Amino acid sequence: MNVSRRALCLTVLLAAANPLCFPVLANPSAPKIRVGVLKFGTVNWELDTIKHNKFDVANGIDVEVVYFAGEDATNVAMLAGDLDIIVSDWLWVSRQRSQGEDLTLAPYSTAVGAIMVKEDAPIQGIPDLVGKKIGVVGGSLDKSWLLIQGLAQRDNGVDLTKESEIVFGAPPLLSEKAVSGELDAVLNFWHFCARLEARGFRRLIGAEDATKALGASGPVSALGYVFHDKWANEHPDVAMSFVKASAAAKKLLAQSDAEWQRLAPLVRAEGRELEVLRDRYREGIPNRPLADEERDAAKLYEILADLGGEKLVGEARQMAPGTFWAALKT
């Protein structure tokens, strides 16, 4: 179909007046950023928002999402140089830096897990977990589990590993066991906690409660977008453009319920469950200066190093300098 010159000029003028009303045209020469994620992970919600709304194109980049079956596979691909960005935690980044890698991260989410119990359960605090059967995701060295253990020991004199029955397992299995009553309480990842909340569970204590009680001045990002310093130094505008695209997606997800309705099939939730997941995601959007997060993460690192030892952090007893991307401090 031919478009008249007058109509074309009008379109350009209107787009200039209100660019949000018109699609952003892709730039075939835009730098491509390969982001490795778990196929069914929650990071996909943000990345899908970036791609659907062309926030990458608006920032002069092209985000390519590469799917993996497991976290170990993404880590290996990152270290091998097959990816530009993955999502991981600052403990892993610090450990890699201590061993000579040049990884760094930009905060992604402060959302963390919590110990969940049924709404009518006679469990009101940590002491009530003594003698109970607790499901724990992530294994014995899970950060949230270690921090909650540390708080229980410090404030209540309770060693949950010895005074309760601990069952480790996969997130969906533990959630179902909690629903069926096979578990008295369950510590799960944040999005599984949100789904349980929609099914009549309540939060007994969250990992964020433990971090604040143990010395953090505010929420600390549990996860970040991880990349190599070398890549960021060679492509500073590209790296910062990705951070800006991520921020644009977060802003939309923080403000638009309609965007969550669009994401519902990907989130695999609707109704009350979708609303709780939406609200918990929003609560996890980082909003503190990077220097504050970095300072608190360093405090928590030392606590976790004491609790988890060398198996968790390696030989380094302090968080490696540069774990958080320095460019975000300026």
Side-chain angles (χ1 to χ4, degrees):
M1 180 177 68
N2 293 326
V3 180
S4 70
R5 183 174 180 180
R6 180 180 179 184
L8 182 60
C9 290
L10 180 60
T11 299
V12 171
L13 288 172
L14 287 173
N18 188 1
L20 294 180
C21 292
F22 294 87
V24 180
L25 298 179
N27 179 359
S29 63
K32 187 180 292 291
I33 298 179
R34 299 161 298 168
V35 184
V37 294
L38 302 184
K39 188 168 181 61
F40 299 107
T42 58
V43 182
N44 288 293
W45 308 347
E46 183 170 307
L47 294 176
D48 186 87
T49 301
I50 289 174
K51 295 300 294 182
H52 178 81
N53 294 280
K54 295 183 169 54
F55 291 137
D56 57 342
V57 176
N59 283 282
I61 56 176
D62 178 14
V63 170
E64 177 186 356
V65 182
V66 184
Y67 296 110
F68 289 83
E71 183 178 357
D72 288 345
T74 63
N75 293 349
V76 169
M78 186 68 193
L79 293 174
D82 296 332
L83 296 170
D84 298 311
I85 296 176
I86 64 170
V87 172
S88 190
D89 63 33
W90 43 265
L91 270 182
W92 184 74
V93 172
S94 177
R95 183 165 186 166
Q96 295 302 315
R97 287 187 77 88
S98 298
Q99 295 173 354
E101 293 287 346
D102 70 334
L103 296 180
T104 189
L105 68 77
Y108 161 68
S109 175
T110 68
V112 286
I115 291 183
M116 306 293 292
V117 297
K118 288 186 176 180
E119 188 64 50
D120 58 357
I123 300 175
Q124 301 300 323
I126 288 177
D128 297 327
L129 292 173
V130 173
K132 298 297 192 293
K133 192 173 184 179
I134 308 171
V136 175
V137 74
S140 61
L141 294 178
D142 177 76
K143 294 192 305 299
S144 296
W145 176 228
L146 288 172
L147 290 169
I148 289 173
Q149 283 183 67
L151 182 62
Q153 184 68 57
R154 191 196 72 176
D155 290 358
N156 306 106
V158 172
D159 186 340
L160 291 173
T161 64
K162 295 179 179 178
E163 300 179 61
S164 303
E165 182 182 353
I166 309 302
V167 178
F168 298 108
L173 177 62
L174 292 180
S175 285
E176 288 308 313
K177 285 184 177 294
V179 171
S180 69
E182 294 180 59
L183 298 172
D184 299 301
V186 60
L187 172 61
N188 217 327
F189 298 138
W190 77 267
H191 47 298
F192 285 92
C193 291
R195 294 183 194 276
L196 284 173
E197 190 176 342
R199 298 176 71 176
F201 280 66
R202 58 181 166 85
R203 298 163 68 88
L204 181 69
I205 180 170
E208 75 278 7
D209 302 318
T211 61
K212 291 177 184 177
L214 292 171
S217 61
V220 178
S221 291
L223 298 171
Y225 284 113
V226 178
F227 42 88
H228 288 279
D229 269 329
K230 183 176 185 292
W231 175 76
N233 291 337
E234 291 176 350
H235 313 282
D237 293 342
V238 174
M240 193 60 75
S241 291
F242 178 82
V243 172
K244 291 177 180 178
S246 168
K250 283 182 167 69
K251 183 177 181 180
L252 181 61
L253 291 170
Q255 298 175 346
S256 172
D257 292 347
E259 185 67 8
W260 283 95
Q261 289 297 327
R262 185 191 69 79
L263 285 172
L266 182 61
V267 178
R268 293 181 294 173
E270 57 185 16
R272 170 65 177 157
E273 186 177 29
L274 181 64
E275 291 174 359
V276 177
L277 284 161
R278 176 199 67 198
D279 294 347
R280 296 292 171 256
Y281 171 91
R282 288 172 172 174
E283 290 172 2
I285 296 176
N287 59 12
R288 295 204 297 156
L290 187 79
D292 293 348
E293 282 215 49
E294 185 177 41
R295 183 171 55 251
D296 283 339
K299 290 180 185 176
L300 295 175
Y301 182 98
E302 293 186 13
I303 294 171
L304 288 165
D306 288 336
L307 293 169
E310 192 170 327
K311 288 184 179 179
L312 179 66
V313 300
E315 297 179 358
R317 304 302 293 181
Q318 294 182 324
M319 190 174 77
T323 294
F324 286 74
W325 191 30
L328 294 177
K329 297 181 192 177
T330 58

